[in-house]
Amino acid sequence: MIHRLLLNSLSAILFIATIPSIYAAANPLVQVKANIGPNPTRVGMYTYTPSKLANPPPLVVAIHGCGGSAKGYFTKTRYATLADTYGFIVVYPNAPAAGGCFDVHTNATLTHNGGGDSQGIASMITYSIATYNVSANNVYVTGTDSGAMMANVLAGSYPELFQAASAYSGVAFGCFAGPAAWNTSCADGDVEMSGADWAALVYGAYPGYTGSRPKMAVWQGDYDETIYSNNWDQEIIQWVTVLNYSLSCATSTLNYPLVNYTMWTYGVDFIAISADGVGHPVPVDETFDLAWFGIITPTTTITDPTCTTPTPTPTPPAAHYGQCGGYVYDVFIPILALTTASIADFPGLPTYNGKSQTRMDRPNNLCCALRLYRGKQLLLTGA
């Protein structure tokens, strides 16, 4: 009981400590009321324009997650305050649906000029290029949760509009496709396809398109129990195929861009970042995004990997017991205590094998239980 209280108290402290800060930009957020072009679902549009613009200014499209809003993403991320320094314009779309999630599932939104929320955002980009003198060669998209899913959708449906994307805790293009706004099979990581099949969804979104495609950065926390980690694997499989890289050739950079993060580089146009011990969603790293977009000078140069022997497909690092929560106490300790299983019965664990598993078997929870079973967390002995 004491251990439970200590962990619950610690969890509360950590939750308070991670509440997003409110960032104050120099100028106000402005709602766009003009006719921006086709916007069939009436996605709300807001812009932030700094007092001093680059000539011509780049454009960053920053997209909120489910339950969020354009105004919330404006105040809780640093894109606008960084725009004050670097002179780019920020567009904040606002989801029209009651729950604040974007349409990333309909055939309309997954089709070039087919309708849906994606077409409204695409119209806002062309409007911004015409109205704000935005550089058409410097348009970028980033988003969190549903916004990350929309970043994937836009990269697939409207590749001609973007030079780069950064998606925090999203899913592969087309993974949420279906009649309902929420796709449990996809969210739980149960939708798996080959690279060729994933790529076919992207190519099918804009038949006949042969132009350049945006470079992609995809982020995932290994303790995400909203959008499970296998979705990150599927994003990797999809975009590595679309961008003509190899799943067997990648380099890893440990503790980058933050401690306990790992960046996997498949090429100059595709990177995948896993965050050890991080839940849903991965916190936005605005400065990294600006470097990835080329708006500021990066601190690390990304180059194509040179591989002489195959490298394994990256797997989210095993979670630490501090992220185990009640699962360890309420599920795994009783299960392990009531079985005759030994650690030898679990070869390869806690490594995540890329296959979807049931909620009670999620790799982050398994790894926590197995670590306790091994007796490595002496603090909880007898819990």
Side-chain angles (χ1 to χ4, degrees), residues 272-323:
I273 300 168
S274 62
D276 184 9
V278 176
H280 185 86
V282 174
V284 171
D285 190 332
E286 300 93 338
T287 302
F288 183 96
D289 286 347
L290 295 191
W292 177 242
F293 297 158
I295 294 175
I296 64 175
T297 303
T299 57
T300 297
T301 301
I302 296 174
T303 59
D304 288 330
T306 300
C307 298
T308 55
T309 57
T311 56
T313 300
T315 58
H320 299 300
Y321 95 94
Q323 284 81 43

Side-chain angles (χ1 to χ4, degrees), residues 83-349:
D84 289 330
T85 301
Y86 298 107
F88 58 90
I89 293 172
V90 190
V91 164
Y92 297 91
N94 194 79
C101 298
F102 286 92
D103 168 17
V104 295
H105 70 284
T106 66
N107 185 63
T109 204
L110 295 170
T111 303
H112 185 78
N113 289 336
D117 291 356
S118 65
Q119 187 173 24
I121 297 172
S123 293
M124 183 63 200
I125 293 168
T126 56
Y127 175 84
S128 298
I129 292 170
T131 306
Y132 308 131
N133 194 34
V134 163
S135 169
N137 295 320
N138 291 282
V139 179
Y140 313 100
V141 60
T142 184
T144 296
D145 179 63
S146 179
M149 299 180 197
M150 178 54 75
N152 276 274
V153 168
L154 290 167
S157 294
Y158 298 90
E160 79 283 10
L161 294 180
F162 300 95
Q163 282 65 56
S166 184
Y168 292 87
S169 306
V171 302
F173 177 95
C175 188
F176 255 51
W182 181 257
N183 188 318
T184 299
S185 294
C186 177
D188 282 359
D190 296 331
V191 178
E192 298 177 338
M193 291 194 286
S194 68
D197 288 340
W198 277 123
L201 295 180
V202 174
Y203 301 147
Y206 193 174
Y209 179 74
T210 59
S212 62
R213 295 186 181 274
K215 62 182 188 177
M216 299 289 297
V218 295
W219 306 66
Q220 179 70 33
D222 75 329
Y223 188 55
D224 192 330
E225 293 193 343
T226 301
I227 301 297
Y228 282 91
S229 295
N230 195 36
N231 283 294
W232 184 67
D233 299 335
Q234 301 307 305
E235 283 181 291
I236 292 171
I237 293 169
Q238 182 173 65
W239 293 111
V240 161
T241 305
V242 170
L243 297 172
N244 295 314
Y245 292 120
S246 171
L247 286 170
S248 64
C249 185
T251 57
S252 61
T253 306
L254 301 178
N255 294 313
Y256 185 81
L258 297 172
V259 174
N260 294 326
Y261 283 46
T262 301
M263 181 176 75
W264 292 84
T265 302
Y266 289 87
V268 293
D269 289 339
F270 183 71
I271 57 175
I273 300 168
S274 62
D276 184 9
V278 176
H280 185 86
V282 174
V284 171
D285 190 332
E286 300 93 338
T287 302
F288 183 96
D289 286 347
L290 295 191
W292 177 242
F293 297 158
I295 294 175
I296 64 175
T297 303
T299 57
T300 297
T301 301
I302 296 174
T303 59
D304 288 330
T306 300
C307 298
T308 55
T309 57
T311 56
T313 300
T315 58
H320 299 300
Y321 95 94
Q323 284 81 43
C324 295
Y327 279 109
V328 171
Y329 293 105
D330 302 331
V331 179
F332 288 104
I333 294 302
I335 289 175
L336 290 171
L338 292 173
T339 67
T340 59
S342 70
I343 206 66
D345 296 322
F346 302 94
L349 289 174

Side-chain angles (χ1 to χ4, degrees), residues 8-30:
N8 287 341
S9 298
L10 178 60
S11 297
I13 292 170
L14 290 174
F15 176 77
I16 293 171
T18 56
I19 293 176
S21 301
I22 303 298
Y23 298 103
N27 295 329
L29 185 68
V30 176

